[in-house]
Amino acid sequence: MGATTTEFKAKTLDGQKKTFLSLTMTNDDQLRIYTVLHAIPRGFVTSYGHVATLAQLPRGARQVRRLLSQLPEESTLPWHRVIRADGSIAFPQGSPSHQRQKK
């Protein structure tokens, strides 16, 4: 299967459509994970396992974690809204990612 590029778009406050992320995906699993991630509302968190379940990847929590760890730094997908099943943050305490996810 070849790679495909998918653009995630949103409307700006003035009604213009803007691409906020363009990702090259090599399989449908990635697209489903990114789609679920994009749908997590501000103010909410979910677990890696729940993202996997919603993306139709039972027992795919590690796959979700690995994919999110490979997001480009400029990604605006809300990766910081995904936490461990026990509610803890998956990053080393004091790291920039830990601080962002803690907010």
Side-chain angles (χ1 to χ4, degrees), residues 64-76:
V64 171
R65 185 183 174 283
R66 183 175 54 252
L67 187 62
L68 297 187
S69 74
Q70 297 169 355
L71 279 173
E73 196 163 314
E74 67 274 5
S75 170
T76 57

Side-chain angles (χ1 to χ4, degrees), residues 36-72:
V36 170
L37 183 64
H38 176 64
I40 302 170
R42 175 174 275 149
F44 290 83
V45 296
T46 192
S47 69
Y48 293 102
H50 192 232
V51 170
T53 299
L54 292 173
Q56 301 172 356
L57 299 168
R59 304 190 56 81
R62 288 183 181 184
Q63 182 179 356
V64 171
R65 185 183 174 283
R66 183 175 54 252
L67 187 62
L68 297 187
S69 74
Q70 297 169 355
L71 279 173

